[in-house]
Amino acid sequence: METLLVFVPCALYNEEPGTLYGVVQETKEEYVKCYFVIGKAEGLNENYGVEKCNIIGYYCKGSSSIVSFKQKSDWVVLGLCGSEFILHVIVSAGNVVDMSKPCQTVCIIYDHEKFIQSELFLQSLEPDGSLYGDHFKMLASNLNSVSLKNSRVRPFSSVILKNVLSQQIIRLLLCIANILLNCITFTHPVLKYTALELHLQTFLKSLIWILQSASCKKILSVKVWNYIVATIVDVCCGMLLLYWLTAVTSSPPQLLLESGEVVVTTLRELLHLKLNYAFNNMLGQFFLYHINVWWTFLVVAKPVLEVAFHIFLCLGRLGLTFQASILVDLLELVSFHIYCIYVYAARLYSLQVSGLVALWRLFLGRKHNPLRGRVDSCQYSSHQLFVGTLAFTILLFLLPTTLMYYIVFTTLRLVVVGLEGLLTRVRYILQCLPLYVSTLWLLQSTIVSSTVHLTVQCRETQGPLLLSVQPVPGSWWNTVQYCIPELVHSPPRVNWGNLIGNLVSGKLIYPS
């Protein structure tokens, strides 16, 4: 048994009798046929899409004025009695449908304007672009296609001089943004590891996306408006931070050097701990040398830091996201020697741990088989056991000293990586700040509607079911996810299991 769904716009309440145009779609897998009535056909421009949508019925007022239908395979005769729509005749595949059967015919009344305004209805398309199984998304798709045809045939006289000038300005800005993006792309092989270059490239691509949307569409989408509002908030926060920073200190590079001096002094005190005097003396001189080199580098690089601070002041006016990108690059620059010292300590610790694990298998009579990738049993001679025991004892008693150096420099490395990850996530949150879309969601705006609310208006025992549908917003999280620009990539999640495993085994840690 085939179910018939007739979608009727509520605007017909105030219309005079006449022919109806719309779309008839059938889903054979679900045995459902939908009659999407879009409006009256009289007096409409031929380019509006009436011929493509087809004449699918007739609308009359009163229960007695039933008009004979045309010889078409699909036809609807719709009437109005009082304040309720009545389905007089439905023809499906050339046969008149018996509407006395319950639940075979359903009449759904919808608001044309609300479905046109909603943007999220057309976002849940199948991979092939179809709207299989969701009849309300099929309705929104048909309404959207007809409204686009209507907008294309509007005469040029409706376009005023102001819009022409704005289009010229948009094209000029597009040209400038494309030139800047090409320059950034040209320098990408050299600066591809800097956070500022990557963020500037994303910013220019997003600016081009906004300008193209403004030139192609008369009404910007919710996604574009949300990004514009997030950018305005980003710029305001950046200006406030610069104002606070210049008010607190007159020389931020000097403040950075003073903080670095505190770190260097603390490291020197930690490295003077004497767990194993001979081994600690050798490692202490090695690491103290690199710490002194690092401090000398910071002192020599003070003019470079001052130049970087001026760049920070200039580009920082573009927003807090630019400031976060510059801080990430500065953090990489001033902590480069920390990374080098950390690599030395991590490699030494990793070698000792792997040596202790391998020698521990010797006492158990086992060894690692690299060809098969497993641990096999093995018979060792007394000389091998003696040398293995001696090496195991030496490595075990030297491990606390190595572990102390490893913990100190790994902690510094984790602090640097943590700060970089925090700044990266702050930058991502500011780029996707859902302030505009959350305001629309709280106000229950039709623009962010993604689901429907059905209400039963009339249920007769012998006749079709009459329903009323209203688009309503869906969940807040789904609405926010829709408004995240495709050009803004979220930072990868931290795999805490791998991080802890790398810390224990001594593997190197990189920013995620």
Side-chain angles (χ1 to χ4, degrees):
M1 181 183 296
E2 188 177 43
T3 302
L4 303 178
L5 303 179
V6 182
F7 292 84
V8 180
C10 62
L12 290 180
Y13 280 120
N14 302 321
E15 293 287 343
E16 296 298 326
T19 55
L20 302 174
Y21 75 97
V23 181
V24 179
Q25 293 180 343
E26 185 175 5
T27 308
K28 295 182 179 180
E29 292 82 358
E30 295 182 347
Y31 299 99
V32 175
K33 178 178 284 188
C34 299
Y35 294 77
F36 297 107
V37 179
I38 296 178
K40 283 182 57 183
E42 281 81 0
L44 294 175
N45 193 305
E46 292 182 355
N47 295 325
Y48 187 78
V50 176
E51 293 184 354
K52 294 185 179 181
C53 289
N54 297 324
I55 304 299
I56 63 171
Y58 190 84
Y59 171 63
C60 59
K61 290 188 177 181
S63 59
S64 58
S65 58
I66 300 180
V67 182
S68 60
F69 55 88
K70 297 181 180 181
Q71 296 299 322
K72 287 196 173 185
S73 59
D74 299 304
W75 192 256
V76 175
V77 178
L78 183 66
L80 181 65
C81 183
S83 60
E84 295 181 0
F85 287 107
I86 299 176
L87 293 174
H88 294 303
V89 179
I90 297 181
V91 179
S92 177
N95 300 319
V96 180
V97 178
D98 183 7
M99 291 182 292
S100 62
K101 297 180 180 180
C103 299
Q104 184 178 359
T105 306
V106 180
C107 180
I108 303 174
I109 303 172
Y110 69 92
D111 191 331
H112 180 279
E113 294 297 329
K114 290 184 177 181
F115 273 90
I116 286 293
Q117 293 174 1
S118 177
E119 295 185 16
L120 273 67
F121 263 105
L122 300 177
Q123 305 307 318
S124 301
L125 299 176
E126 298 294 329
D128 58 350
S130 63
L131 294 162
Y132 174 78
D134 196 324
H135 307 293
F136 297 105
K137 286 186 171 61
M138 294 168 64
L139 171 64
S141 177
N142 291 322
L143 294 175
N144 184 63
S145 60
V146 173
S147 64
L148 288 177
K149 295 172 187 175
N150 184 31
S151 62
R152 290 172 184 171
V153 298
R154 292 178 182 176
F156 183 76
S157 59
S158 63
V159 181
I160 59 178
L161 182 61
K162 182 179 178 181
N163 292 334
V164 176
L165 292 176
S166 64
Q167 290 295 324
Q168 296 297 328
I169 294 174
I170 289 174
R171 290 175 184 174
L172 178 61
L173 293 176
L174 265 175
C175 182
I176 296 174
N178 281 311
I179 293 174
L180 292 175
L181 182 60
N182 291 332
C183 295
I184 296 298
T185 306
F186 180 76
T187 60
H188 180 71
V190 179
L191 303 176
K192 62 181 178 180
Y193 295 108
T194 60
L196 179 60
E197 190 269 343
L198 295 176
H199 178 66
L200 187 58
Q201 193 173 21
T202 303
F203 177 78
L204 290 175
K205 289 181 179 179
S206 302
L207 180 60
I208 293 173
W209 166 61
I210 293 175
L211 294 175
Q212 289 177 346
S213 301
S215 61
C216 298
K217 301 178 182 178
K218 296 186 177 181
I219 300 177
L220 296 179
S221 63
V222 178
K223 186 181 295 186
V224 175
W225 275 115
N226 187 79
Y227 184 80
I228 292 174
V229 173
T231 304
I232 294 173
V233 174
D234 176 26
V235 173
C236 294
C237 292
M239 297 294 290
L240 289 175
L241 181 61
L242 286 179
Y243 176 77
W244 175 82
L245 190 61
T246 53
V248 170
T249 177
S250 58
S251 179
Q254 183 63 33
L255 180 63
L256 183 62
L257 286 176
E258 293 176 358
S259 302
E261 186 177 4
V262 173
V263 175
V264 169
T265 304
T266 306
L267 286 176
R268 286 171 177 171
E269 293 177 355
L270 286 174
L271 294 180
H272 281 298
L273 296 175
K274 296 178 175 57
L275 299 178
N276 184 297
Y277 181 78
F279 188 54
N280 183 72
N281 188 34
M282 181 188 69
L283 292 181
Q285 291 180 357
F286 177 77
F287 286 117
L288 281 174
Y289 170 76
H290 284 82
I291 291 173
N292 293 329
V293 170
W294 176 45
W295 172 245
T296 305
F297 167 76
L298 291 180
V299 174
V300 174
K302 184 179 179 181
V304 179
L305 295 177
E306 292 179 351
V307 174
F309 177 69
H310 289 297
I311 298 175
F312 179 83
L313 291 178
C314 295
L315 294 179
R317 292 183 175 88
L318 295 177
L320 195 59
T321 53
F322 280 90
Q323 298 173 9
S325 301
I326 296 173
L327 287 177
V328 170
D329 291 334
L330 285 177
L331 199 60
E332 288 281 357
L333 179 64
V334 300
S335 63
F336 177 74
H337 287 77
I338 290 182
Y339 172 72
C340 294
I341 300 172
Y342 160 74
V343 170
Y344 301 146
R347 291 301 186 191
L348 182 60
Y349 171 77
S350 178
L351 286 174
Q352 282 193 243
V353 170
S354 59
L356 287 171
V357 171
L359 293 172
W360 177 254
R361 296 195 188 105
L362 182 141
F363 299 115
L364 301 177
R366 305 178 68 85
K367 71 172 182 178
H368 177 69
N369 189 344
L371 297 178
R372 297 182 179 271
R374 66 185 185 184
V375 179
D376 298 330
S377 58
C378 180
Q379 295 291 332
Y380 293 99
S381 64
S382 58
H383 298 287
Q384 291 174 327
L385 289 175
F386 174 76
V387 174
T389 304
L390 184 62
F392 181 84
T393 305
I394 294 173
L395 290 178
L396 181 63
F397 282 98
L398 292 179
L399 183 62
T401 305
T402 306
L403 182 62
M404 186 271 295
Y405 285 96
Y406 176 70
I407 291 175
V408 170
F409 295 109
T410 301
T411 303
L412 289 175
R413 178 62 179 170
L414 287 176
V415 170
V416 172
V417 171
L419 287 176
E420 291 180 5
L422 179 63
L423 291 173
T424 302
R425 281 155 180 81
V426 168
R427 185 180 63 191
Y428 173 73
I429 292 173
L430 287 173
Q431 287 178 301
C432 306
L433 191 66
L435 186 61
Y436 178 74
V437 68
S438 298
T439 303
L440 293 178
W441 186 84
L442 290 174
L443 296 176
Q444 295 293 297
S445 175
T446 311
I447 301 177
V448 293
S449 298
S450 58
T451 184
V452 295
H453 177 69
L454 291 170
T455 306
V456 179
Q457 284 196 350
C458 179
R459 176 66 184 269
E460 299 179 0
T461 55
Q462 299 294 328
L465 175 64
L466 187 62
L467 300 176
S468 176
V469 60
Q470 293 290 337
V472 294
S475 66
W476 176 80
W477 181 243
N478 291 335
T479 307
V480 169
Q481 283 186 321
Y482 161 72
C483 291
I484 297 177
E486 290 80 4
L487 297 173
V488 179
H489 302 288
S490 61
R493 295 184 177 180
V494 179
N495 192 331
W496 295 102
N498 289 341
L499 178 61
I500 295 174
N502 292 338
L503 289 175
V504 173
S505 61
K507 295 181 180 179
L508 298 181
I509 299 172
Y510 297 100
S512 58

